[in-house]
Amino acid sequence: VVDWGRDLKMLDILDLSGQLPQAGLKVESIRGQVVLEDDGVSLNEIHLAVGESRIHVNGAVKSLSSLASNPGAVGVEVDLAESRIHAGEMARLFPSLPIRGTIGATLRIHGDLSGLVLEDFVLTHGRSVLAAEGTVLGMPDSIDYQLAIRPTTLTWTDFQTVWPTSGLEPWDRLGAVAASGFSEGIVQFDTTGGSPRLDGSVDLEA
């Protein structure tokens, strides 16, 4: 269903499917509403099924006219409801993505690209739950983050499955580790397509 006015252009997607041949992925279903305005786009109740991933998102991108000259001024609002993301499949689209496995995700974020606020960030895999809130600064050139880690439970098996190249020493002998605390650091992106470089610290209290 298409409503194409002068100031507002609206597209209702009842059910759309297709292929991403370069990534070898099947788009099983896309449903929701896309609204185009003068200087932005809104996504309303988007339900996306790609491979083993199931994503439910509402969001908006504002001030798109700034994208070329000042990308950090582009406004973003994202509300990712309980979703399931197969990171291994996503890595076919984004080869530098270091994580793997299937991850449950909830995210609420808003602000400009240069200064985003994470109000709710929860990742789950197996027995592990990582919950945090904080700020993300400096995009799109880098990510300077400060995160308050809410009560979290991690097992080495889950962590290793999700981030096999982390380089951390195994802690499997500790079993499930429950902790909260604070983390800050910088993620530098490799403009040549290599993996991002993380320089940061984590201060946890069990």
Side-chain angles (χ1 to χ4, degrees), residues 5-180:
R6 172 180 291 183
D7 300 321
L8 187 69
K9 301 171 177 61
M10 185 170 62
L11 174 64
D12 287 320
I13 305 172
L14 302 181
D15 196 6
L16 182 67
S17 61
Q19 298 279 344
L20 299 174
Q22 291 184 338
L25 291 173
K26 179 181 180 181
V27 181
E28 298 180 9
S29 176
I30 303 176
R31 294 180 287 111
Q33 183 184 75
V34 180
V35 179
L36 302 177
E37 301 179 79
D38 285 342
D39 200 21
V41 57
S42 297
L43 304 177
N44 301 322
E45 293 298 323
I46 298 295
H47 295 261
L48 175 63
V50 179
E52 296 185 28
S53 298
R54 299 293 182 269
I55 298 171
H56 175 201
V57 65
N58 288 276
V61 180
K62 304 175 182 179
S63 302
L64 279 173
S65 59
S66 303
L67 186 60
S69 60
N70 185 16
V74 174
V76 176
E77 296 179 7
V78 177
D79 188 351
L80 181 69
E82 294 184 1
S83 298
R84 185 175 78 248
I85 299 172
H86 192 290
E89 293 178 342
M90 294 301 104
R92 302 183 197 176
L93 298 172
F94 309 101
S96 62
L97 191 68
I99 59 176
R100 297 293 184 267
T102 301
I103 301 168
T106 302
L107 171 67
R108 185 175 295 113
I109 189 170
H110 62 84
D112 297 336
L113 276 182
S114 61
L116 294 171
V117 176
L118 280 73
E119 291 186 352
D120 189 22
F121 177 52
V122 180
L123 299 177
T124 63
H125 179 84
R127 299 165 55 200
S128 298
V129 179
L130 172 63
E133 58 190 7
T135 58
V136 177
L137 309 177
M139 291 181 66
D141 299 321
S142 62
I143 296 177
D144 184 345
Y145 66 89
Q146 293 184 334
L147 299 176
I149 301 173
R150 304 203 304 263
T152 288
T153 301
L154 295 175
T155 71
W156 170 252
T157 300
D158 292 338
F159 183 86
Q160 176 68 4
T161 299
V162 170
W163 195 355
T165 60
S166 69
L168 296 181
E169 290 294 326
W171 72 79
D172 49 312
R173 67 185 184 281
L174 300 178
V177 176
S180 59

